[in-house]
Amino acid sequence: MVSIVLASHGTFSEGIKMSGQMIFGPQQDVAAVTLMPEMGPDDLRAKILEAVEGFEEKDQVLFLVDLQGGTPWNQISLLLDEPGHENWVAVGGMNLPIQLPIPRQTEKKDGANQLRLSYIKPNISQVMFPKTVFLPPFPSLSL
């Protein structure tokens, strides 16, 4: 089984989680973590770790993050580089169409990385592993 952390600036992740629950019902081992204006990076890191500690499955964790390069993404990236987190995977560009089917797929896949490869990668533009970011080619702009 794969645990899921939805992480965002503001309450976006809570809204995504609530929408998923309205469609599929309550989901086990899915948490929303929010960065609020009064928080700093260390506060967010503590909330992320607290969310993971609440999961039954702590080894296979998929992080769906709102925006690559923002504080939630950066704090999760630092966690991915730590020993013992080799099976943690982060994906940038969280949205409802990507998130909705994932809880139904978590028990069918071998782990967070397999879930990313088989389901998310074909449907999203930014995928991150520790120390590696894959981005699609950007078309050149002509004015």
Side-chain angles (χ1 to χ4, degrees):
M1 184 166 169
V2 177
S3 299
I4 300 170
V5 175
L6 308 171
S8 68
H9 295 83
T11 59
F12 177 56
S13 60
E14 292 174 346
I16 292 282
K17 181 180 177 188
M18 182 187 308
S19 296
Q21 289 177 340
M22 290 175 67
I23 295 167
F24 291 116
Q27 302 294 316
Q28 181 181 355
D29 286 346
V30 176
V33 176
T34 60
L35 173 65
M36 301 308 288
E38 66 276 4
M39 294 173 59
D42 292 336
D43 300 319
L44 180 63
R45 178 187 172 90
K47 283 180 76 172
I48 293 165
L49 290 172
E50 181 181 335
V52 173
E53 281 303 311
F55 294 149
E56 183 178 326
E57 172 58 61
K58 297 173 182 64
D59 182 53
Q60 297 286 337
V61 182
L62 173 65
F63 294 90
L64 299 179
V65 188
D66 62 349
L67 180 66
Q68 185 183 25
T71 301
W73 178 270
N74 293 339
Q75 288 303 307
I76 290 166
S77 297
L78 292 171
L79 289 170
L80 294 180
D81 283 337
E82 292 182 2
H85 300 162
E86 292 80 14
N87 295 321
W88 290 12
V89 178
V91 177
M94 174 178 59
N95 60 61
L96 190 57
I98 292 295
Q99 186 271 336
L100 281 179
I102 290 174
R104 303 179 102 197
Q105 302 294 323
T106 58
E107 294 183 22
K108 299 176 185 176
K109 303 299 175 189
D110 295 329
N113 186 45
Q114 183 61 37
L115 182 61
R116 179 204 62 89
L117 289 172
S118 64
Y119 183 76
I120 297 173
K121 187 176 180 183
N123 297 305
I124 201 158
S125 63
Q126 303 171 42
V127 178
M128 183 202 163
F129 288 101
K131 302 179 185 169
T132 308
V133 177
F134 301 91
L135 294 172
F138 292 99
S140 57
L141 298 174
S142 57
L143 301 174

